[in-house]
Amino acid sequence: MKSNLLMNFTVNKENNTVNVKREFNAPLSNVWSAWTEAAILDQWWAPAPWKSRTKSMDFKEGGRRLYAMVGPEGEEHWAIADFTSISPKTNFKYKDAFSDSEGNLNTDFPRSNWDVTFSEEGDHTFVDIVIKHDKLSDLEAIIQMGFKEGFTIAMEGLDEIFAENK
């Protein structure tokens, strides 16, 4: 589903960050729920035809989401999000990492810090995401793995959810 909604994706190699600004045709409360509730996250957090499946989620400071990206052949890639800061309907931050199915860190892949900020303009919501990596090689590895393409597809999946609920 292509749309005219804003999607800016920039890579800053000087400070090892990816910046994404994304517009959604939905009120802030709906967008916040889509990013913070496991049942909704599982509907869009993976690029189709992959699916997201949350094993556990405790959305609070110090809490964690443990989930798998499940491929069309049933293959699973596990990840964790460790929530470090939450300001309801405004911002949340977390440390993202690949893991095993029990939430043990997979140190073969880099960890990143996500800073996700929400703002509302009229009946649209903007999500500003800053993803910081410790070193340039970590940032380059994620980009090489197809992060931009996969994340773009996932955002379009979220657009479809909002369109269905209009």
Side-chain angles (χ1 to χ4, degrees), residues 16-84:
N16 307 328
T17 59
V18 171
N19 297 82
V20 180
K21 182 166 184 158
R22 185 60 160 78
E23 176 185 8
F24 295 98
N25 185 12
L28 188 140
S29 60
N30 293 19
V31 177
W32 176 264
S33 293
W35 281 77
T36 61
E37 296 174 20
I40 305 172
L41 275 164
D42 282 349
Q43 296 176 45
W44 70 271
W45 187 251
W50 288 69
K51 300 285 183 199
S52 173
R53 186 179 71 236
T54 299
K55 183 175 183 179
S56 62
M57 182 163 168
D58 189 10
F59 185 70
K60 67 177 187 183
E61 287 183 22
R64 169 179 279 187
R65 177 181 183 219
L66 172 61
Y67 64 98
M69 299 282 217
V70 183
E73 307 298 319
E75 62 273 36
E76 297 178 342
H77 296 282
W78 287 88
I80 52 173
D82 289 322
F83 302 108
T84 58

Side-chain angles (χ1 to χ4, degrees), residues 1 7 12-15 17-18 21 30 40 42 44 46 52 70 77 80 92 96 98 111 118 121 128 148 156 160:
M1 178 175 146
M7 170 76 176
N12 184 328
K13 291 186 176 186
E14 288 181 18
N15 63 8
T17 59
V18 171
K21 182 166 184 158
N30 293 19
I40 305 172
D42 282 349
W44 70 271
S52 173
V70 183
H77 296 282
I80 52 173
F92 68 91
D96 182 68
F98 288 101
R111 239 186 146 170
F118 299 77
E121 291 180 27
D128 286 287
K148 178 180 182 180
E156 291 168 356
E160 290 175 19

Side-chain angles (χ1 to χ4, degrees), residues 95-126:
K95 289 182 74 86
D96 182 68
F98 288 101
S99 70
D100 65 15
S101 63
E102 300 305 310
N104 299 304
L105 206 57
N106 180 340
T107 56
D108 292 341
F109 294 96
R111 239 186 146 170
S112 57
N113 291 297
W114 287 57
D115 185 344
V116 186
T117 302
F118 299 77
S119 60
E120 198 168 34
E121 291 180 27
D123 56 357
H124 286 215
T125 300
F126 291 84

